[in-house]
């Protein structure tokens, strides 16, 4: 099809074509091939979701959106993380990024914006940004932000109305610098936060209060909220019930859960509630499709086993034999489970094989698996690749492990892709035995050390659905000695999955004949299909004749 024929197509058809492109780089190449394509496709195809990871990106991209309102009107989600690329938060960069957001919002170019995320560990008072978003973005319904050492006592952040989703991440600075660690309504800032959620957001559908600390923050006043349409609740290391002696009555948080019958996704930490209290929940109170929490909390929610489709174990599990058997018995009861995220702390390298066998026997119908085995060396890549073939429906995979050193990342990815061609994408990460904790401090160690090596692999199939190439995005983080910082390197490359000398099959009958005569696993499978088809034809002919 020529470019002239494409140019004459209506924009709606061009947008439909773009939906079949898997990568944003492919969409960009399509848009840059013609000015008419760019004007028709670039806005909804490239700028529906905008992610900016540096202050420089914020200033340049948001200045473009301010000038080009025809493109800015397609932005529905804006994610700002001004220090993500450097991992060194700076006040000047944060203020420059917030000023750029305030300017583009005040110009009313972001009139279609529905979701806004601001991630900055040490959030300063960016009042002009929150005020501009509140006044000039009428469709903004989802807010996500982080709070560090500075907790705003009076902020425009808490003046929004009729939000559908609110997410706050309590950064380490919050736990370290707020001695009282309170999110209850005794503090002015907390009072404004809860007043916004309780009184001005009655239709709230998603509420997230995340954070990681050994000393939880107090968020007990959450139980006073009532949102009839709440379907997602995620709580990090915050305490909901300080008084464990509730007597004969139910825990207030249990009453809160029973009052939200539309809740479908629930995420809890070990600080939220004991499993014994969670077991007092009425059997028909919740029908969860997604749960994240501890093993004991999952066991207390046995009434939702039949409906759970997504399961995440929040805390790592030690690979004791009893734990493996317990997890296996629980997973066998989750008949609808399609996605699993689980982390094991290994006692020995021999535990990994028993863990994988238990997962295969317990949930063979998984479609998405995230598996981490840390603290000691685990799988040999060859054995792992062969064992994964037992997951017949697996489509995406993420594996984090302490490498045994048998293969590099690229070679390991090649082996898994060849053995498991049904996968659409997968991730591999090699970590040191000390992961996820920081590397031990050795001030006189003169050489840089790799903290983490990871790679994302995407299988690219041919016209027959057989994978031919492997797109790879490989990255590694190196820690320099004497606190000189960290260096992150990213590489993109493509690997050919076909053996050397093998050419791509020809479409049509000749291509089918080539595969039939090919001396490979695909050829053997095709010959078996052909032989069975011939037998079926003969059986049908004899039945018709006699």
């Amino acid at each position: 099809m020529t470019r002239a024929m494409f140019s004459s197509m209506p924009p709606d058809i061009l947008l439909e074509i773009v939906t079949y492109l898997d990568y944003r780089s492919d969409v960009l190449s399509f848009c840059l091939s013609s000015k008419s394509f760019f004007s028709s496709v670039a806005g909804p195809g490239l700028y529906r979701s905008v992610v900016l990871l540096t202050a420089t990106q914020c200033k340049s991209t948001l200045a473009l959106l301010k000038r080009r309102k025809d493109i800015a009107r397609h932005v529905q989600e804006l994610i700002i993380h001004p220090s993500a690329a450097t991992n060194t938060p700076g006040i000047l960069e944060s203020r420059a990024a917030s000023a750029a957001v305030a300017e583009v919002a005040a110009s009313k170019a972001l009139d279609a914006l529905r979701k806004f995320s601001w991630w900055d560990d040490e959030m300063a008072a960016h009042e002009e940004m929150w005020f501009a978003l509140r006044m000039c973005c009428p469709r903004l319904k989802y807010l996500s932000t982080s709070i560090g050492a500075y907790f705003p006592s009076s902020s425009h952040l808490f003046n929004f109305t009729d939000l559908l989703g609110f997410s706050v991440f309590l950064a380490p600075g919050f736990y370290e610098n707020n001695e009282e660690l309170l999110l209850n309504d005794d503090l002015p800032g907390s009072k404004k936060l809860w007043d916004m959620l309780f009184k001005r957001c009655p239709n709230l559908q998603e509420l997230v209060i995340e954070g990681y600390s050994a000393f939880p923050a107090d968020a007990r006043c959450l139980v006073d909220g009532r949102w009839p349409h709440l379907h997602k609740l995620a709580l990090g290391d915050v305490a909901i019930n300080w008084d464990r002696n509730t007597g004969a009555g139910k825990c207030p948080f249990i009453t809160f859960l029973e009052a939200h019958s539309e809740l479908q996704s629930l995420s809890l930490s070990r600080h939220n509630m004991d499993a014994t209290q969670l077991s007092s929940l009425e059997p028909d109170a919740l029908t969860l499709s997604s749960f994240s929490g501890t093993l004991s909390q999952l066991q207390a929610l046995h009434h939702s086993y039949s409906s759970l489709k997504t399961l995440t174990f929040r805390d790592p599990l030690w690979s004791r034999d009893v734990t493996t058997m317990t997890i296996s018995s629980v997973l066998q009861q989750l008949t609808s489970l399609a996605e699993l995220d689980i982390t094991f702390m290994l006692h020995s390298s021999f535990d990994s094989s028993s863990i994988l066998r238990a997962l295969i026997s317990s949930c063979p119908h998984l479609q998405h698996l995230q598996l981490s085995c840390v603290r000691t060396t685990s799988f040999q890549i060859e054995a792992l690749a062969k064992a994964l073939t037992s997951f017949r429906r697996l489509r995406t995979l993420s594996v984090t492990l302490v490498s045994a050193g048998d293969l590099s990342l690229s070679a390991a990815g090649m082996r898994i892709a060849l053995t498991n061609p049904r996968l659409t994408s997968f991730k591999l990460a090699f970590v040191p035995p000390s992961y996820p904790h920081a590397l031990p401090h050795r001030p006189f160690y003169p050489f840089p050390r790799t903290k983490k090596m990871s790679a994302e692999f995407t299988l690219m199939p041919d016209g027959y659905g057989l994978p031919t190439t492997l797109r790879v995005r490989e990255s590694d983080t190196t820690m320099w000695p004497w606190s000189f910082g960290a260096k992150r390197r990213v590489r993109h490359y493509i690997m050919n999955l076909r053996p050397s000398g093998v050419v791509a099959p020809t479409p049509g009958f000749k291509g089918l004949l080539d595969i039939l005569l090919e001396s490979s696993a695909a050829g053997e499978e095709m010959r078996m299909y052909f032989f069975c088809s011939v037998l079926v034809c003969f059986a049908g002919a004899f039945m018709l004749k006699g």
Side-chain angles (χ1 to χ4, degrees):
M1 185 176 291
T2 63
R3 182 182 300 180
M5 296 178 65
F6 267 116
S7 301
S8 61
M9 285 186 177
D12 294 342
I13 297 181
L14 292 177
L15 291 176
E16 188 69 22
I17 294 174
V18 168
T19 58
Y20 289 92
L21 300 178
D22 297 326
Y23 297 93
R24 292 175 65 90
S25 58
D26 296 336
V27 178
L28 179 61
S29 300
F30 182 80
C31 294
L32 294 178
S33 62
S34 171
K35 290 184 178 180
S36 61
F37 291 175
F38 188 86
S39 60
S40 302
V41 178
L46 293 176
Y47 290 93
R48 181 179 288 109
S49 177
V50 178
V51 181
L52 306 175
L53 303 181
T54 64
T56 303
Q57 283 184 351
C58 290
K59 291 187 289 187
S60 60
T61 303
L62 296 179
L64 168 67
L65 296 178
K66 183 180 178 181
R67 295 192 310 268
R68 296 290 303 273
K69 293 187 178 182
D70 58 324
I71 295 178
R73 64 185 179 89
H74 296 288
V75 178
Q76 299 182 17
E77 182 178 10
L78 181 59
I79 301 174
I80 307 292
H81 197 335
S83 59
T86 59
N87 292 321
T88 55
I91 298 298
L92 295 179
E93 291 81 1
S94 180
R95 289 181 177 176
S98 66
V101 175
E103 289 181 8
V104 68
S107 67
K108 298 186 178 181
L110 301 177
D111 57 346
L113 185 66
R114 288 183 52 83
K115 296 183 178 181
F116 178 76
S117 299
W118 174 269
W119 294 98
D120 187 10
D121 289 347
E122 303 302 328
M123 185 185 71
H126 304 305
E127 293 304 310
E128 72 284 352
M129 179 182 71
W130 298 117
F131 180 76
L133 289 170
R134 182 170 64 90
M135 299 300 296
C136 304
C137 299
R139 299 184 182 180
L140 184 59
K141 297 298 180 182
Y142 294 85
L143 280 183
S144 180
T145 185
S146 59
I147 296 180
Y150 172 75
F151 188 85
S153 59
S154 178
S155 174
H156 288 288
L157 170 64
F158 306 137
N159 290 335
F160 285 84
T161 59
D162 201 22
L163 291 177
L164 298 180
F166 184 79
S167 173
V168 59
F169 178 80
L170 304 178
F174 175 85
Y175 292 98
E176 295 171 1
N177 295 277
N178 293 273
E179 296 181 357
E180 62 276 3
L181 296 178
L182 294 178
L183 281 179
N184 59 30
D185 54 6
D186 294 336
L187 295 179
S190 298
K191 182 175 177 57
K192 291 199 65 176
L193 167 64
W194 296 118
D195 283 346
M196 177 186 72
L197 295 178
F198 291 165
K199 300 177 181 179
R200 299 195 302 275
C201 300
N203 299 315
L204 197 69
Q205 298 178 6
E206 300 180 6
L207 178 60
V208 178
I209 304 177
E210 269 292 357
Y212 300 91
S213 175
F215 304 97
D218 182 1
R220 74 185 81 175
C221 57
L222 170 69
V223 299
D224 297 330
R226 292 295 183 271
W227 300 281
H229 304 294
L230 187 70
H231 62 76
K232 177 182 179 180
L233 176 66
L235 300 176
D237 290 339
V238 295
I240 304 299
N241 179 32
W242 288 96
D243 185 10
R244 299 181 183 274
N245 298 320
T246 57
K250 285 188 176 182
C251 169
F253 186 58
I254 293 296
T255 305
F256 171 85
L257 292 178
E258 292 177 347
H260 295 83
S261 58
E262 294 188 11
L263 199 62
Q264 298 178 3
S265 176
L266 180 63
S267 177
L268 301 176
S269 75
R270 62 186 183 278
H271 296 294
N272 301 146
M273 173 165 292
D274 290 337
T276 53
Q277 296 174 327
L278 197 59
S279 60
S280 63
L281 192 68
E282 291 294 334
D284 56 348
L286 297 178
T287 305
L288 298 176
S289 60
S290 175
F291 177 73
S292 173
T294 64
L295 177 60
S296 58
Q297 290 172 342
L298 175 64
Q299 291 174 315
L301 292 172
H302 56 89
H303 299 293
S304 296
Y305 280 0
S306 60
S307 60
L308 277 181
K309 298 179 181 179
T310 302
L311 174 62
T312 300
F313 287 95
R314 186 180 177 94
D315 297 334
L317 302 171
W318 291 92
S319 62
R320 299 182 178 93
D321 291 338
V322 176
T323 303
T324 305
M325 294 173 59
T326 303
I327 294 172
S328 179
S329 62
V330 171
L331 292 180
Q332 286 178 357
Q333 303 176 56
L334 307 181
T335 55
S336 302
L337 190 64
E339 184 173 352
L340 175 64
D341 185 352
I342 190 169
T343 300
F344 287 96
M345 303 286 285
L346 300 182
H347 282 275
S348 68
S349 58
F350 300 102
D351 294 338
S352 58
S353 57
S354 61
I355 288 172
L356 194 56
R357 286 197 301 268
L359 293 180
I360 293 172
S361 61
S362 304
C363 40
H365 303 305
L366 283 179
Q367 300 178 21
H368 312 280
L369 173 63
Q370 296 186 43
L371 175 63
S372 300
C373 293
V374 295
R375 194 175 178 268
T376 186
T377 56
S378 51
F379 304 100
Q380 294 285 338
I381 298 299
E382 183 70 30
L384 174 63
K386 291 181 178 179
L388 289 173
T389 58
S390 300
F391 292 107
R392 299 294 183 181
R393 301 181 183 180
L394 195 65
R395 292 299 175 264
T396 63
L397 171 70
S398 178
V399 177
T400 300
L401 51 86
V402 179
S403 175
D406 52 336
L407 291 174
S408 63
L409 270 177
S410 58
M414 175 75 77
R415 192 65 54 85
I416 292 178
L418 291 174
T419 313
N420 300 267
R422 293 185 179 90
L423 291 174
T424 58
S425 62
F426 62 95
K427 299 179 182 178
L428 285 179
F430 293 161
V431 296
S434 58
Y435 188 85
H437 307 289
L439 291 174
H441 181 62
R442 299 177 184 175
F444 300 106
Y445 190 80
F447 304 104
R449 292 167 292 165
T450 300
K451 183 178 181 181
K452 182 179 180 180
M453 298 175 58
S454 62
E456 300 177 8
F457 302 89
T458 304
L459 284 78
M460 307 301 297
D462 57 9
Y464 297 97
L466 301 176
T468 57
T469 56
L470 196 63
R471 286 192 177 184
V472 187
R473 182 184 182 272
E474 185 176 334
S475 63
D476 60 81
T477 303
T478 303
M479 305 294 295
W480 292 95
W482 300 301
S483 302
F484 283 146
K487 179 183 179 182
R488 188 167 181 264
R489 184 185 62 173
V490 179
R491 295 192 304 140
H492 296 264
Y493 55 92
I494 295 178
M495 303 172 63
N496 186 12
L497 295 179
R498 293 187 178 277
S500 58
V502 176
V503 297
T506 306
F509 177 77
K510 188 176 184 303
L512 184 63
L513 184 61
D514 291 340
I515 297 179
L516 190 64
L517 301 177
E518 189 177 276
S519 58
S520 63
E524 294 178 0
E525 190 172 348
M526 183 60 70
R527 286 190 289 273
M528 179 61 67
Y529 286 151
F530 179 76
F531 180 70
C532 292
S533 300
V534 171
L535 291 180
V536 170
C537 292
F538 275 117
F542 279 117
M543 290 179 62
L544 292 175
K545 184 178 180 180

